[in-house]
Amino acid sequence: MIRVRGMHKSYRTGKLVTPVLHGVDLDVADGEMVSIVGPSGSGKSTLLHAIGGLDRDYEGTIEVDGRDLRAMSDVELSAYRNRHVGFVFQAFNLLHHQTCVENVALPALFARGEGMLSREQALDRAREVLGRVDLHDKVDALPTTLSGGQRQRVAIARALFNRPRLMLCDEPTGNLDSVMGKAIIELFRRLNEEDGITLVVVTHDPKIAASTQRTVRVQDGLVLEGAGDALEAEAAAAENSSNTADAEASAEGSADPESADVPEDPADAPAQEALA
Amino acid sequence: MRSARLFALVLANLRRSRNHFLLASIGIVVGIATFAFFLALGLGVRAVVLGKIFPLDKLEVVPRSLEVDVGPLRMGLGQDALDDAMAAKLGALPGVTAVYPKMKLTVGSIAYGGESLFGADLRSEIVADGIDPALLASEINKDGYQFVDHETPERLAAEPPKACTADAECGDKMYCGEPPGTTTPRRGTRKKPGPDGQPDQPEPAKVCRHFVPVIVSHHVVELYNGTLRRAHGFPQLNPDAVRGFTFDLIIGESMVETSNQDQVIHDRGMFVGFSDKAIPLGITLPLGYVQRYNVRYNGEDAAQRYHSVILEIPVKDDVAAVAKGVEDLDLKVKDSGAEEAALLIAVFMMVFGLVSAVIVGIAAVNIMHVFFMLVYERQREIGVMRAVGASRGDIGRIILGEAASLGTMAGTAGIVLAVTAGTIFDHVSARYVPDFPYKPTTYFDFPWWLIVAALGFSISFCVLGALLPARRAAHMEPARVLSGA
Ligand SMILES: Nc1ncnc2c1ncn2[C@@H]1O[C@H](COP(=O)(O)OP(=O)(O)O)[C@@H](O)[C@H]1O
Ligand SMILES: [Mg+2]
């Protein structure tokens, strides 16, 4: 389904050029569930955004279902994001002034062509999808009244709204405690197994990585197949004690349930780190 | 359907940010109100000035040598270049649809009467001119009143006036008086007839006569009602009530001693109506009467000595060409002041148009700031919308849609404000400002195109202000704001 070849990506901030990825090759088959691990700042999000059609400023090719993303116009790429991809982010990124059902139906606003639904159809479908993530009773709630795990499930429902074949999840459990995180991963596995949705999950959680069929590692600008020694060590460390997780994990993946339930616009810690 | 859905989003966003927008739009509201108010004022005043005071669809042509008339003291007349032949030439100029030769009464004359109107008889030197009655037939001849020459030689020959001794013996709108053209030695003010209709002194054989039809310009009524009546404590005149009012006309008599003639003509006049074609200050008679009076006192030549010719030019754009043609005939266009008035009003409208443009321009800069701030505040939201399928164009359209909606609302508010202010202004003028000539019931004219222009102005400036913020929003990298906790 996904075919990345020779992908190079550098960020330019003024005169400063930060090379991030240099020569990434990656294949993801239809129906696969892949986890991506790697140190903070290694370019995992960058890769995910490019695959999801949020960023076209790279070299090399990314094909999804045989279609070269960079050859698409902005409108075509937007339609691709709308119909074929579901994004799930660490920060949930819900619109806090809209109810859960409105958040979930948001993709309907930007549908084109035959994918267009009436407002009623869209809200009906949003309710149905919220039911699938066990949130029937939160349809008209505002996201700010929900727990972190519930918010992430609303975000997942939004990603599922247009029945995508591909879901791209960027540290989806990063703001959740381990119990909630586990439930989310369970949900992903169900979507993968029951609905055949292809999932690419960026994670710092070695337990999540270990639970996927396949793990790739982004390091030094390249994608390496397999978790490698470091991951196994992390997994082992996590088995023994959650306190001995390495520096990155404790820095990025906050496991504190209190801070996970972020108010309004959560502080953008890793983004700030990335911009610094 | 898609755009309808996005529009709903636009409205929701406007509602959500209403406090920001309320502040941002005050400048636009004030600017548009200024624009609409002063433009409507200019248009309204122009309609009064050019429509009633100086109609622009007419040119008055005078001989080059003839000095402007100064009322009862008539200046020495130069050679008269305006005769029937010249009038025909003027009528042949392209763009001219009608020609009205006018002849001034060149002999001193006095009007006397008015008790029924003013409560006392007035005696006044009059300025009079004559105009071809055929040109006013449709305008004046109604309700039983007629502006016609009743005493052309042909008519008198066909229907000789019958003898009478009292007004009652004659028909409607007729009186018993001296035969047409009779002159009698001047002997001071003519005595008012006694209650029985008989004059105090025996008169020569009398005949039934039509009153001399007289029309006046609206200017006269305006001037009277606006200022004159106040100075003299006279009642306000309703123009309709003036029709049918009769008075004595004494041709050849003047308050200016040197203008007095030895022989005078006693006729009686009747107001039959109002017309813009009448002399602005004075009375206008059918041309034949004036010709006969002038011939009586100034000789046969006077019959064709027109003092001016009014040209009717319905298409404004032809006026300049006609004026040129007039110059080529060695005549000149009498300056009515219309051009200056029009220029003055145009300058007034331009100045306030400019002032409102500056206000709206500054407001647009303010709007730009607000939108930049909003785009910054909403960058995560914009990123989310991009992630779920919004194109750059969608984002730009949402921002510009907000600006256009804001512009529509602010523009509407501005127009409502302007109309309200205009209504209050008119009300205050009607209640507290004393009458003055041409005092209008409304000073404002809000034509549909002014409303459309004000709305368009408002919308375009709001959209203009939001253009750069919308561009920034559309080109924001969604990835940056979406990743991270
Ligand atoms: N918009 C950006 N502009 C400049 N540099 C960026 C931007 N986004 C990410 N980077 C840099 O690119 C590198 C990779 O970032 P990212 O893909 O977010 O890493 P990861 O998700 O693996 O933590 C980091 O060094 C980060 O600082
Ligand atoms: Mg990341």
Side-chain angles (χ1 to χ4, degrees), chain A residues 49 54 74 78 81-82 87 89-91 93 95 97 108-112 117 158 170 175 266-268 270 275, chain B residues 1-2 5-6 9 16 380-381 384-392 394 398 478-485:
Chain A
H49 292 146
L54 273 177
D74 180 57
S78 301
R81 290 194 301 270
N82 185 249
F87 278 103
F89 304 98
Q90 178 178 7
N93 288 328
L95 306 185
H97 54 91
L109 281 182
F110 303 103
R112 292 164 197 275
L117 301 172
R158 181 179 65 196
D170 196 353
N175 278 1
D268 207 345
L275 291 172
Chain B
M1 193 161 87
R2 189 163 188 275
R5 201 104 38 77
L6 289 184
L9 185 71
R16 189 150 53 97
R380 183 179 286 261
E381 182 183 326
V384 171
M385 293 195 285
R386 292 292 308 277
V388 300
S391 65
R392 292 186 196 284
D394 289 335
I398 289 170
R480 185 200 292 251
V481 286
L482 292 174
S483 61

Side-chain angles (χ1 to χ4, degrees), chain A residues 11 13 18 20 39-46 171 252 274-275, chain B residues 480:
Chain A
Y11 285 106
T13 348
T18 320
V20 180
S40 171
S42 58
K44 305 179 295 295
S45 297
T46 303
E171 302 187 37
E252 292 219 351
L275 291 172
Chain B
R480 185 200 292 251

Side-chain angles (χ1 to χ4, degrees), chain A residues 32-81:
Chain A
E32 228 182 339
M33 182 165 171
V34 183
S35 54
I36 299 181
V37 297
S40 171
S42 58
K44 305 179 295 295
S45 297
T46 303
L47 177 60
L48 209 67
H49 292 146
I51 294 171
L54 273 177
D55 180 9
R56 286 199 290 172
D57 186 20
Y58 55 83
E59 281 144 52
T61 55
I62 299 178
E63 285 174 14
V64 177
D65 285 334
R67 292 201 299 165
D68 184 354
L69 296 190
R70 242 214 337 230
M72 292 185 192
S73 69
D74 180 57
V75 168
E76 287 169 331
L77 205 58
S78 301
Y80 160 75
R81 290 194 301 270

Side-chain angles (χ1 to χ4, degrees), chain A residues 82-83 107-119 121-122 125 161-162, chain B residues 1-5:
Chain A
N82 185 249
R83 296 195 44 80
L109 281 182
F110 303 103
R112 292 164 197 275
E114 73 293 11
M116 295 218 295
L117 301 172
S118 73
R119 184 178 156 77
Q121 285 172 316
R125 189 193 283 187
F161 180 82
N162 270 335
Chain B
M1 193 161 87
R2 189 163 188 275
S3 44
R5 201 104 38 77

